[in-house]
Amino acid sequence: MKENIVIIGGGIAGLEAAGQLLGLGYKPIIIEKSDRLGGHVADWNCLFPDMTPAKDVVGRLIAGATEANIFLNTEISFVNKLKDSYNIMLSNGISIITKIILVTTGFSVFDASKKEEYGYGVYDQVITNRDLEHWFNTGNDRRIDDCGMNAVGFVHCVGSRDEKAKNPQCSKVCCITAVKQAIELKQKFPETMVYCFYMDLRMFGKKYEDFYIGAQRDYGIRFIRGRVSEVSENIDGRVIVKAEDTLSGKPVKVTLDLLVLMAGMVCNPDSTKVANMISLPIDSDGFLKSRDNVADIIDSPKDGIFYAGACTGPKTVPETLAEARAAALKIHLYNKTMQ
Amino acid sequence: MDFGFKISPSSAINLDNVDTVKFEQLHDMEPDVYKCMACGSCTSTCPANRFSGMSMRKVILALQRGKEKDVVSMMRNCMLCGKCTMVCPRGINTRHLILSICRIYREDGK
Amino acid sequence: MRERFLTGYNDFVLPFVFGMLFVLTYCLIGMIRLIMQLPAKDRKRFFLSLITPKILFKDIKDIFLKCLIHVDLWKRNKLLGYMHSSIAFGWFMIILVGHIEVFLYTSNLGIKALYYPIFFRYFVAETESTMKGSLIFFLMDFFLLVILSGIALAIIKRVRSRFFGMRRTTNPSFLDLVGLYSLWAIFPLRLLAESFTADISGGSFLTKSLNYVFTEFLSNHANMLPAWWAYSCALGIFFCVLPFTRYMHIPTEILLIPLRNAGIRIVNARKGLAKAQVYSCPSCGLCIDACPMGVMKSNIKDTTVYLNRQIRRNNEARIEEISDKCLLCAKCTAICPVGVEGDKLRIAQRSMRRYNFGPDYSNIDTSVLSEQCNKFVTNQNKNVSLTDSKRVLYFSGCMTALTPAIRKATESLLGKAGIEYEIMDRDGGICCGRPMFMAGRFDQAEQMVRKNTEIILGSGADTLLLSCPICYKIFREQYELPGITIIHHTELFGDLVSSGRLKVRKDDTKYVFHDPCELGRGCGIYEQPRQALSAAGDLVEAAKNRKESICCGGSLGSLTLSFEKRKAMTENALTNLTAASPDTIVTACPLCLNTFGRYADRPVEDIAQVLDRKTN
Amino acid sequence: MIYQGKQKIWADYQKEIPDDHWFYVRSCIRQNFFPGAEKMFLEICRGLLKKDFYETEHHTTCGGIAYHCDTIPQETVMTIVARQFALMTEAGYENYVASCITSFGNYIEILETWKEFPELEAKIRELLWKACKREFNKPKYVAHASDLIYKYRNEIAARAKFRLVNRHTGEPLRAVEHIGCHYAKMFPSRSIGGAEYPYVLSGMIEAWGGNVIDYPERRHCCGYGFRQYHVKANRGYSISNTYKKFESMEPYHPDFILTNCPGCPYFMDRWQYVIAETEGKTYGENGYGIPVLTYEELASLVLGYDPWDIGLQLHQVAVEPLLDKLGIEYDPSAKYKGLNRKDIMRPELPGVLRCC
């Protein structure tokens, strides 16, 4: 009989770690608060840089983790610290005693309506990146006119790099997501003028720059360097966007049929909740604090508690998966030393 | 009536009013015009910059913003020497772009 | 010889006579129009050249050597040379000997002079006296054989051009094919017709012998008429289509040679000399293989031969495309057997373009720029004793600003040689004007030339040193700088090395020298850089070098070639350069240095860098 | 526009406003611009709603204009404000209400600054003592006068004689609300409704039966901007901003503009005349302008006060078309009669803008 391993969160990090642990001969337990696995990635349509369908990725991960004990619709009610282990009480009444916990609680998408000046939830034609992915998935959104639109805008860094939004960090993936979504939109509506309002374009990852140059060269997407200051609604319901075109040093305004806000990543409040239950520290960026941000990103300061994925900060899918694999191995080695 | 002051035209760029016909024509002639990422290498290397403020980056930007008159005055001293082509990290054929602009756009902005 | 028919006429001569008259009229009118298109100054110059014995003699010599013997082709490719000269010279000799024959044996020619020399054998019968002229019979048969051998080669070339060492050749148009097949048909048909009549009119080893064979099958002489008809028709067809095919080059080249010898230059891309060049193009396709753009198949139709074809067809869109794409490396010009100047033609074509607005440099104050380089003048004012050495003004040029190693090395070498110098464009200057000139905007280039001239003349220098061949070419050709020697750094350093003022350490490094287009083909500088390099190491040659050196692909000459499309050209040029496995590629142009440096698998250096490193 | 979305935001920006016992300070400039406004505020609050509003003739300017024009240092403006607070303390009040938006912003800014830098507050207390031997308690509550009308809006609605409904069509009147910049843009949490979609004036209009227009340049400044208007060379800039606002609201055909700042109604009113004279353009119906009212004036109108008693004849843009829509009867001949029915003389009529 092997040790109980509790994975908190059934997103891609939790699933991948579970799959790896199963391969190592463990029987991990996944606790997922929602009614399905896959987390945020399951809401997405295609993933950069190769436009891999998200459901393929999630499907593979779920298939690899089916042998694990999975509790859906389950939250952690409370955690008791025992001598050298934890007693985790679940909302379904089950309690688990474990020495090893893997926290994969992930992130939350920034609530774009908090940036009041962008009018999400106030103006009809303002949507978020997540809404757009939903439309890519379902083709169903009354705000998007299937007959084509004249002009569409993307606002980068919504709720990222923004002290006022209480999130001074870069959410890392929004730049490339905006470019990806802009291209996808342009593929669907070739006649539409697409603008991206950005502060910096952080095309750090593999093939990201290709996306960027492709967006410009092949799709004619216009990049305007300047953060949108305010959005207002026109008499015909379209939105007027104001920004500074910092490259020409002049204010710029444009009327758009649709404005997509690239809502960033913030720490999942559930992460904080879990952290409070097991007294894990929170880093200055609001995410969970690792033992060391360079060498031990997947280690919590407490023995037996590990992290994987976006609970410690914004991550891309491949980074999250790599951390999940690393965490599985680390857990395996930890378990060995315990015995 | 003269009040000693009057309404000044807005300095804001209204992208709704920018006529893109010529810019698209330019794009047909030299597709590279879409590739600029505004790094400014061309500007810093340009020998005409000190004379007429020539900046290929600004030229491309100004055309996208409908400021065609600014373009003509900036390009006044362009010598077509090709340094901007040499330094452009995106490999934009700036010389052909310049010649194409001279063909499509007009001094009077019409 | 006596005439067989009283009338001395048969209907079959009509196709030929018609064709002949047509082509002669066409060429005459064309020639007059072309000469009228020349600018008045050039026209006068042309007529003067025709009465200047020296030039006239050269005209005749050139026409003979180029049009008939095709000496240039011989030098290039013996087989190709033979093919062309056999047909051209053979035909010429047949016409010449044919006329001599006619004039020897006939009197009262009158209108018959039009066709008698061509169909003589049909209209005459052998007599006793003919035997005295058996030499003529022999010559006629001999040259016919020569032509036939040429035709045979031409047919082989059509089928297998690689056999002639040509990788690619042109795609003929429909009329070209009509002309080609009628040309091929003329001489076998003539052989057939003359062989049929050889027992009456006489003949030599070829016709007479064939006649014996033929009479075995056809004894009735009436049957020979179709052969003569066919011969005449082939000629008629050939002449009628000639103005509309590449064979127009035959008459046009005869006009082009005196025009060129008169020293006339291309002014208008569609008129005068340019037109003569365009029509002189034989569509041989040598320029296709020569063109550096040819490495990409998509560019083949943008070579000079196709430019000529499109100009003849007035296909404006394609003319523009071809003209703008070219790198202006001038290799097609260098190898063209008839002397079509592909680069100048394109520049002239570019100059025809209308722009809505253009640069103007009148606002540039040269005094600001002059202040950067007034050392010599201040020295003079301060009465600093001048050394007897040169006062060198170094114009490094725009491109060198992006390859500062060249400037640094050049300055260092000047210092080592103890030459007093001053940099003209230390903080940037005005472009030499060559790139603008190559874009066909002559007025703007001229303005820059004037501005730079002001600065140079005011500097007090006696030598203008250049490290960029692009600048060098325009300085040599368009600038008027009295009392100032214009020199490229390869020349200066070559001379300094030869004269021993620069002592270069030699080692066993293998160098290959890349001849930059503007320096080699553009200005004819081939030897000095090689001499200098030989002093520094072991000099090897590229597969194609000097006049046939391959453009690096980075040329400012091309207006439309995008960055991505140049890569293949650069790689091809590098393959050519590294054929002899050199350790280092050496060039003498900042643009080549920059371009090669991007893709080369071994060090690329400017000659100044090499020499500087190896001198103390 | 998603109204529920706005409501959600408004819910985040509500403040508890004490119901009674206020120390009222006036604006420096409002009494010159629209003198009826402040009078009517006190009339409504004291006379009609029977609230306790204390006023003292000893209060001065808050120093806000000078502060924003960079003519006095921060310590000076803080000391002036400290003296106002001292007056309040001496009068035995804890709730402080300012008539002026700039003052309101100024008080809030100073109180927030003292919260962050207590040593500065101590220094100001010392300076005040040195200057005039006074001491002060910080107000428990600082409100803007429009906050109070907002608070009393339903009571006013209950007593209203007129509703903001077009008598001829039965449709609600279309109102543009314009909030003074310093009301919420500096400290959104101290406002009603926040900075992006302030509710303070919208709430009044809704309560009294009108419809609020949301036009693109709604957030834009009226164009006053102390440093702009006060320097004559910059007045072109001032009016350009006003022009931008009018151009933006024009397609919505507003019946009137409601404001809560001293400068805004004045400039939006007067600049309509200048725009008409220079550009030949008017924004109301039939060559009229769009009437610009203060919230006190509007409250007085719905409560049935005589338009001329509340000073509407001092508006450049004629209010008569609005009065007609509301069904308020007025005596045109009494328009230019003062309080004591004395003739205050008719102004010269402008050339372009129609003013009855």
Side-chain angles (χ1 to χ4, degrees):
Chain A
M1 171 65 200
K2 291 216 172 169
E3 195 66 36
N4 267 343
I5 298 169
V6 172
I7 298 173
I8 308 173
I12 55 163
L15 291 171
E16 174 67 20
Q20 298 290 334
L21 287 167
L22 284 166
L24 290 165
Y26 298 91
K27 185 88 176 165
I29 301 158
I30 299 177
I31 301 165
E32 169 59 44
K33 105 189 128 157
S34 77
D35 57 357
R36 55 159 185 72
L37 295 167
H40 293 288
V41 179
D43 294 336
W44 239 242
N45 179 38
C46 282
L47 304 175
F48 53 81
D50 295 331
M51 302 308 267
T52 322
K55 66 172 194 292
D56 291 3
V57 174
V58 173
R60 261 202 316 274
L61 292 173
I62 292 177
T66 41
E67 295 298 309
N69 279 322
I70 300 170
F71 296 108
L72 293 176
N73 297 311
T74 307
E75 289 187 58
I76 296 171
S77 303
F78 57 83
V79 180
N80 285 332
K81 176 87 174 78
L82 306 174
K83 190 168 153 273
D84 60 348
S85 59
Y86 298 90
N87 178 19
I88 299 174
M89 187 53 136
L90 301 181
S91 56
N92 57 10
I94 295 171
S95 87
I96 307 162
I97 293 181
T98 177
K99 284 181 180 162
I100 300 169
I101 300 174
L102 176 62
V103 182
T104 57
T105 43
F107 66 95
S108 282
V109 177
F110 175 79
D111 175 9
S113 65
K114 282 190 184 160
K115 290 298 290 179
E116 289 161 22
E117 63 267 41
Y118 294 164
Y120 181 64
V122 175
Y123 304 131
D124 290 302
Q125 294 310 105
V126 179
I127 67 170
T128 63
N129 41 2
R130 191 213 278 267
D131 297 338
L132 189 61
E133 284 295 331
H134 183 261
W135 180 73
F136 287 145
N137 270 330
T138 62
N140 189 4
D141 193 319
R142 59 175 179 77
R143 294 169 291 192
I144 298 169
D145 186 353
D146 292 328
C147 305
M149 294 170 282
N150 202 27
V152 174
F154 285 82
V155 186
H156 294 224
C157 300
V158 174
S160 307
R161 306 176 73 195
D162 186 345
E163 301 262 1
K164 298 279 174 65
K166 300 188 184 72
N167 186 25
Q169 307 302 321
C170 167
S171 289
K172 204 171 185 180
V173 297
C174 327
C175 281
I176 177 69
T177 305
V179 173
K180 179 200 81 124
Q181 292 186 339
I183 290 174
E184 287 176 291
L185 207 63
K186 192 85 181 172
Q187 284 168 341
K188 292 202 161 63
F189 306 115
E191 299 303 315
T192 302
M193 183 63 114
V194 177
Y195 300 99
C196 283
F197 295 90
Y198 69 97
M199 293 197 279
D200 288 300
L201 280 172
R202 301 189 160 181
M203 296 292 161
F204 59 91
K206 185 178 167 72
K207 297 218 283 192
Y208 291 7
E209 191 68 18
D210 297 356
F211 257 83
Y212 174 36
I213 191 169
Q216 288 184 293
R217 183 191 52 212
D218 307 331
Y219 296 97
I221 292 162
R222 298 277 176 88
F223 288 84
I224 298 174
R225 185 172 173 275
R227 200 158 171 279
V228 168
S229 61
E230 63 177 51
V231 179
S232 46
E233 200 178 58
N234 210 347
I235 193 160
D236 57 15
R238 289 183 295 160
V239 287
I240 297 176
V241 169
K242 287 191 196 173
E244 188 194 343
D245 178 21
T246 59
L247 295 175
S248 65
K250 291 206 166 63
V252 63
K253 72 173 192 179
V254 62
T255 311
L256 302 171
D257 297 288
L258 187 72
L259 185 68
V260 186
L261 305 180
M262 304 310 297
M265 288 186 186
V266 291
C267 185
N268 189 345
D270 293 326
S271 299
T272 324
K273 224 166 88 189
V274 169
N276 286 337
M277 288 180 197
I278 9 185
S279 326
L280 292 169
I282 306 290
D283 213 341
S284 58
D285 60 357
F287 289 87
L288 300 185
K289 189 174 167 70
S290 299
R291 185 173 289 169
D292 185 280
N293 281 330
V294 177
D296 298 315
I297 194 88
I298 57 171
D299 293 77
S300 83
K302 284 189 184 303
D303 284 346
I305 299 179
F306 300 91
Y307 302 139
C311 61
T312 53
K315 304 258 159 64
T316 63
V317 171
E319 284 166 350
T320 301
L321 296 179
E323 281 190 8
R325 279 163 216 151
L329 186 62
K330 200 104 191 205
I331 287 169
H332 176 60
L333 296 173
Y334 177 76
N335 189 43
K336 270 180 140 177
T337 53
M338 269 200 321
Q339 283 156 3
Chain B
M1 200 186 286
D2 183 20
F3 294 91
F5 56 87
K6 56 177 187 290
I7 294 167
S8 45
S10 171
S11 66
I13 296 161
N14 189 344
L15 292 175
D16 302 340
N17 301 338
V18 174
D19 183 5
T20 55
V21 176
K22 281 187 174 170
F23 191 74
E24 286 314 309
Q25 220 177 316
L26 182 64
H27 174 247
D28 290 342
M29 214 178 260
E30 182 47 70
D32 280 359
V33 69
Y34 273 7
K35 281 164 57 179
C36 176
M37 57 172 175
C39 69
S41 307
C42 45
T43 313
S44 57
T45 198
C46 178
N49 180 270
R50 65 199 282 202
F51 303 120
S52 67
M54 171 62 174
S55 159
M56 207 51 221
R57 171 187 81 75
K58 281 192 194 166
V59 164
I60 295 173
L61 190 75
L63 292 179
Q64 290 179 340
R65 306 287 186 264
K67 306 260 174 200
E68 300 169 5
K69 278 191 175 167
D70 299 359
V71 169
V72 174
S73 75
M74 264 190 276
M75 284 175 48
R76 177 64 62 206
N77 286 162
C78 167
M79 306 176 194
L80 215 61
C81 70
K83 279 176 84 182
C84 46
T85 312
M86 293 277 281
V87 298
C88 179
R90 282 272 176 95
I92 297 175
N93 188 349
T94 49
R95 297 175 74 242
H96 189 235
L97 199 51
I98 291 165
L99 289 171
S100 304
I101 291 168
C102 289
R103 288 178 76 179
I104 293 172
Y105 293 90
R106 295 169 64 94
E107 212 153 350
D108 53 14
K110 277 174 195 156
Chain C
M1 281 241 176
R2 62 175 173 78
E3 295 193 45
R4 281 170 68 202
F5 310 103
L6 260 181
T7 53
Y9 169 79
N10 189 299
D11 282 344
F12 77 76
V13 305
L14 284 177
F16 162 76
V17 170
F18 178 77
M20 186 69 197
L21 288 175
F22 170 74
V23 79
L24 283 176
T25 321
Y26 188 94
C27 289
L28 191 71
I29 294 172
M31 187 178 77
I32 293 168
R33 276 188 60 188
L34 204 145
I35 292 169
M36 292 310 289
Q37 283 170 352
L38 290 173
K41 209 175 74 196
D42 283 353
R43 196 159 53 235
K44 196 174 157 201
R45 198 171 175 162
F46 174 61
F47 289 136
L48 277 176
S49 81
L50 291 182
I51 52 169
T52 313
K54 210 173 122 192
I55 302 178
L56 189 65
F57 175 73
K58 187 170 164 24
D59 288 346
I60 293 165
K61 190 185 106 191
D62 282 358
I63 290 171
F64 185 76
L65 288 178
K66 283 181 193 292
C67 303
L68 298 182
I69 311 293
H70 290 90
V71 277
D72 290 340
L73 268 179
W74 276 98
K75 282 183 205 157
R76 230 191 135 65
N77 183 327
K78 299 251 170 346
L79 210 53
L80 218 53
Y82 175 75
M83 183 191 110
H84 282 83
S85 53
S86 64
I87 299 174
F89 184 65
W91 199 358
F92 173 74
M93 286 312 287
I94 282 192
I95 294 168
L96 184 72
V97 177
H99 278 75
I100 293 171
E101 194 179 27
V102 171
F103 288 112
L104 276 180
Y105 295 111
T106 2
S107 51
N108 285 335
L109 262 177
I111 192 83
K112 289 186 284 186
L114 276 178
Y115 55 85
Y116 250 44
I118 315 301
F119 305 110
F120 194 52
R121 292 292 153 83
Y122 177 81
F123 292 105
V124 292
E126 208 172 2
T127 58
E128 288 303 311
S129 65
T130 315
M131 285 302 117
K132 294 175 194 161
S134 59
L135 176 64
I136 288 177
F137 278 114
F138 171 76
L139 284 177
M140 291 297 269
D141 269 19
F142 173 72
F143 285 116
L144 189 58
L145 184 65
V146 167
I147 295 173
L148 286 170
S149 67
I151 299 280
L153 284 174
I155 292 168
I156 295 168
K157 172 176 173 267
R158 194 79 243 155
V159 183
R160 284 208 160 271
S161 63
R162 277 186 183 275
F163 196 68
F164 285 74
M166 290 177 76
R167 290 201 298 130
R168 282 173 296 225
T169 180
T170 48
N171 286 331
S173 66
F174 171 71
L175 280 176
D176 277 345
L177 284 176
V178 173
L180 179 76
Y181 293 136
S182 55
L183 179 64
W184 284 356
I186 290 170
F187 300 99
L189 285 172
R190 182 185 171 121
L191 177 67
L192 201 66
E194 287 192 346
S195 301
F196 275 133
T197 11
D199 53 345
I200 304 171
S201 61
S204 187
F205 63 97
L206 199 61
T207 38
K208 205 83 179 210
S209 337
L210 271 174
N211 183 261
Y212 290 130
V213 181
F214 287 160
T215 42
E216 289 296 313
F217 309 103
L218 294 162
S219 49
N220 188 348
H221 278 116
N223 289 337
M224 68 192 176
L225 213 50
W228 286 99
W229 266 101
Y231 173 45
S232 171
C233 284
L235 279 166
I237 292 169
F238 180 68
F239 286 142
C240 283
V241 296
L242 182 133
F244 316 105
T245 64
R246 61 191 206 180
Y247 299 104
M248 189 61 194
H249 82 87
I250 300 166
T252 320
E253 204 187 340
I254 297 169
L255 176 64
L256 177 64
I257 287 168
L259 282 172
R260 189 168 52 230
N261 287 344
I264 291 168
R265 288 179 177 196
I266 293 177
V267 177
N268 185 307
R270 305 293 179 81
K271 291 178 178 170
L273 181 65
K275 198 170 184 180
Q277 290 189 1
V278 166
Y279 281 89
S280 295
C281 171
S283 282
C284 65
L286 283 176
C287 48
I288 298 178
D289 280 346
C291 183
M293 296 198 301
V295 284
M296 288 171 85
K297 231 177 167 171
S298 54
N299 292 334
I300 287 178
K301 297 248 165 171
D302 299 312
T303 47
T304 304
V305 56
Y306 286 98
L307 174 66
N308 294 332
R309 185 181 285 186
Q310 300 300 351
I311 289 181
R312 287 177 66 170
R313 289 180 188 168
N314 286 319
N315 185 345
E316 296 300 331
R318 283 286 295 134
I319 294 171
E320 190 159 296
E321 195 185 343
I322 298 173
S323 304
D324 285 1
K325 204 174 196 180
C326 171
L327 294 156
L328 298 185
C329 75
K331 193 171 168 186
C332 52
T333 308
I335 56 100
C336 181
V338 297
V340 176
E341 296 169 300
D343 55 331
K344 297 201 173 75
L345 210 52
R346 284 176 171 94
I347 293 177
Q349 179 58 43
R350 291 174 186 184
S351 76
M352 289 169 74
R353 184 152 312 145
R354 288 281 151 266
Y355 291 95
N356 288 336
F357 69 94
D360 175 87
Y361 310 102
S362 46
N363 62 316
I364 297 179
D365 181 7
T366 50
S367 65
V368 185
L369 296 162
S370 297
E371 277 165 24
Q372 295 176 10
C373 54
N374 58 3
K375 181 170 113 184
F376 299 126
V377 181
T378 13
N379 282 357
Q380 240 161 4
N381 293 346
K382 282 191 210 151
N383 285 326
V384 175
S385 64
L386 291 169
T387 51
D388 56 342
S389 76
K390 294 172 185 162
R391 281 167 294 150
V392 172
L393 185 66
Y394 175 34
F395 182 71
S396 59
C398 303
M399 285 300 150
T400 314
L402 298 174
T403 49
I406 298 180
R407 185 154 103 180
K408 198 175 151 222
T410 305
E411 283 194 70
S412 163
L413 283 169
L414 287 169
K416 287 172 187 173
I419 294 172
E420 198 181 357
Y421 70 96
E422 169 77 289
I423 294 184
M424 178 172 155
D425 53 350
R426 192 181 291 279
D427 300 321
I430 297 168
C431 171
C432 62
R434 176 75 181 155
M436 191 61 95
F437 186 88
M438 291 200 285
R441 308 191 77 175
F442 302 148
D443 292 345
Q444 277 85 10
E446 178 57 32
Q447 277 192 45
M448 281 187 259
V449 168
R450 278 203 301 273
K451 291 279 173 188
N452 276 324
T453 305
E454 277 173 37
I455 300 169
I456 296 163
L457 292 180
S459 72
D462 61 11
T463 304
L464 180 70
L465 175 66
L466 304 153
S467 48
C468 175
I470 305 166
C471 306
Y472 183 51
K473 183 162 167 81
I474 194 164
F475 272 106
R476 278 197 6 170
E477 290 177 359
Q478 308 280 332
Y479 280 71
E480 280 171 41
L481 298 168
I484 295 176
T485 320
I486 298 161
I487 187 168
H488 187 255
H489 74 310
T490 47
E491 295 177 273
L492 177 68
F493 298 142
D495 294 348
L496 289 174
V497 170
S498 320
S499 65
R501 274 180 77 181
L502 282 178
K503 298 252 182 301
V504 186
R505 286 189 307 275
K506 186 167 176 142
D507 60 19
D508 56 1
T509 317
K510 259 166 99 179
Y511 292 114
V512 67
F513 181 69
H514 165 73
D515 290 286
C517 308
E518 300 272 69
L519 188 67
R521 283 184 291 269
C523 300
I525 308 288
Y526 296 112
E527 295 314 321
Q528 284 103 323
R530 285 181 166 76
Q531 279 165 16
L533 271 184
S534 303
D538 181 12
L539 183 72
V540 295
E541 285 295 346
K544 296 215 184 273
N545 55 60
R546 291 172 204 254
K547 199 178 90 169
E548 298 205 12
S549 147
I550 300 174
C551 172
C552 68
S555 167
L556 289 174
S558 172
L559 301 180
T560 53
L561 263 181
S562 66
F563 177 72
E564 307 91 69
K565 293 202 174 132
R566 292 170 184 251
K567 189 183 175 193
M569 297 167 205
T570 309
E571 284 171 344
N572 177 50
L574 281 168
T575 314
N576 172 59
L577 280 171
T578 50
S581 315
D583 300 317
T584 301
I585 297 165
V586 182
T587 180
C589 169
L591 195 48
C592 300
L593 181 71
N594 201 314
T595 312
F596 283 139
R598 204 174 294 136
Y599 303 113
D601 60 350
R602 60 200 83 199
V604 183
E605 284 187 304
D606 189 87
I607 191 162
Q609 289 173 270
V610 174
L611 295 176
D612 184 40
R613 195 155 3 85
K614 296 198 169 177
T615 44
N616 294 327
Chain D
M1 182 71 62
I2 307 160
Y3 189 71
Q4 292 84 343
K6 275 194 182 179
Q7 282 180 315
K8 225 179 110 204
I9 291 173
W10 290 336
D12 291 342
Y13 295 100
Q14 287 300 326
K15 51 183 185 183
E16 276 300 313
I17 305 169
D19 190 54
D20 207 351
H21 307 298
W22 290 93
F23 182 81
Y24 181 60
V25 283
R26 294 198 182 223
S27 150
C28 306
I29 55 178
R30 290 188 85 198
Q31 294 159 78
N32 301 317
F33 291 173
F34 301 114
E38 287 180 339
K39 176 182 176 261
M40 290 315 297
F41 177 75
L42 291 174
E43 169 70 29
I44 291 167
C45 295
R46 282 178 180 160
L48 204 67
L49 303 171
K50 310 287 181 224
K51 306 287 181 187
D52 171 25
F53 277 73
Y54 179 83
E55 210 191 352
T56 169
E57 69 273 32
H58 295 298
H59 89 74
T60 63
T61 174
C62 71
I65 294 182
Y67 172 54
H68 288 294
C69 289
D70 268 355
T71 53
I72 57 171
Q74 199 187 25
E75 284 84 351
T76 309
V77 73
M78 283 181 169
T79 314
I80 295 170
V81 166
R83 184 178 167 278
Q84 314 279 68
F85 291 159
L87 293 176
M88 177 197 74
T89 312
E90 286 160 17
Y93 283 83
E94 291 177 324
N95 301 329
Y96 193 98
V97 58
S99 163
C100 170
I101 286 284
T102 300
S103 299
F104 174 73
N106 199 23
Y107 295 135
I108 299 286
E109 183 184 338
I110 288 170
L111 290 170
E112 291 289 326
T113 311
W114 287 348
K115 207 190 273 174
E116 300 287 330
F117 304 96
E119 69 283 3
L120 193 57
E121 185 188 337
K123 186 183 169 192
I124 299 301
R125 284 182 186 279
E126 206 184 309
L127 289 176
L128 183 68
W129 182 254
K130 274 186 194 161
C132 52
K133 299 280 178 292
R134 285 181 199 269
E135 283 178 291
F136 69 93
N137 295 333
K138 284 191 278 185
K140 268 203 174 139
Y141 199 91
V142 175
H144 182 250
S146 61
D147 292 338
L148 293 177
I149 298 291
Y150 168 80
K151 186 175 174 65
Y152 304 144
R153 69 192 187 283
N154 293 325
E155 283 175 63
I156 291 170
R159 292 160 198 248
K161 297 212 166 55
F162 301 97
R163 287 184 61 74
L164 299 178
V165 171
N166 189 326
R167 165 144 306 199
H168 311 299
T169 62
E171 296 283 318
L173 291 180
R174 293 178 298 269
V176 155
E177 48 90 47
H178 177 83
I179 309 285
C181 292
H182 292 181
Y183 174 69
K185 284 177 185 167
M186 296 191 292
F187 296 95
S189 60
R190 297 305 199 88
S191 69
I192 293 166
E196 301 297 334
Y197 314 94
Y199 189 55
V200 59
L201 294 180
S202 298
M204 295 180 202
I205 294 164
E206 284 176 2
W208 301 337
N211 255 358
V212 180
I213 287 168
D214 206 340
Y215 63 105
E217 296 292 358
R218 181 179 48 78
R219 299 172 175 113
H220 204 80
C221 169
C222 68
Y224 178 14
F226 304 121
R227 297 182 208 203
Q228 307 312 334
Y229 181 76
H230 289 167
V231 180
K232 192 175 176 187
N234 292 348
R235 277 183 199 165
Y237 181 70
S238 172
I239 192 172
S240 299
N241 282 286
T242 317
Y243 178 69
K244 191 172 177 178
K245 274 188 87 73
F246 278 107
E247 286 293 307
S248 175
M249 70 174 79
E250 188 187 13
Y252 298 80
H253 306 296
D255 294 308
F256 68 95
I257 299 168
L258 185 63
T259 61
N260 72 343
C261 175
C264 309
Y266 189 72
F267 282 91
M268 293 175 81
D269 183 58
R270 301 301 199 265
W271 280 149
Q272 284 194 65
Y273 154 70
V274 179
I275 291 170
E277 290 298 322
T278 54
E279 303 288 306
K281 182 143 191 193
T282 54
Y283 293 93
E285 289 155 17
N286 309 320
Y288 284 101
I290 305 171
V292 189
L293 302 177
T294 67
Y295 53 97
E296 297 105 324
E297 287 169 343
L298 185 68
S300 309
L301 276 182
V302 299
L303 285 168
Y305 287 90
D306 184 293
W308 311 141
D309 285 351
I310 62 175
L312 294 189
Q313 61 273 63
L314 291 173
H315 288 242
Q316 173 70 62
V317 174
V319 293
E320 283 88 340
L322 175 66
L323 301 178
D324 292 340
K325 284 179 201 163
L326 285 166
I328 296 173
E329 300 212 350
Y330 57 93
D331 176 8
S333 64
K335 184 170 181 183
Y336 296 107
K337 295 258 164 54
L339 276 177
N340 47 12
R341 300 289 147 202
K342 210 176 103 186
D343 195 351
I344 54 171
M345 303 216 292
R346 303 181 77 84
E348 196 184 328
L349 283 176
V352 180
L353 185 68
R354 197 165 156 202
C355 294
C356 296

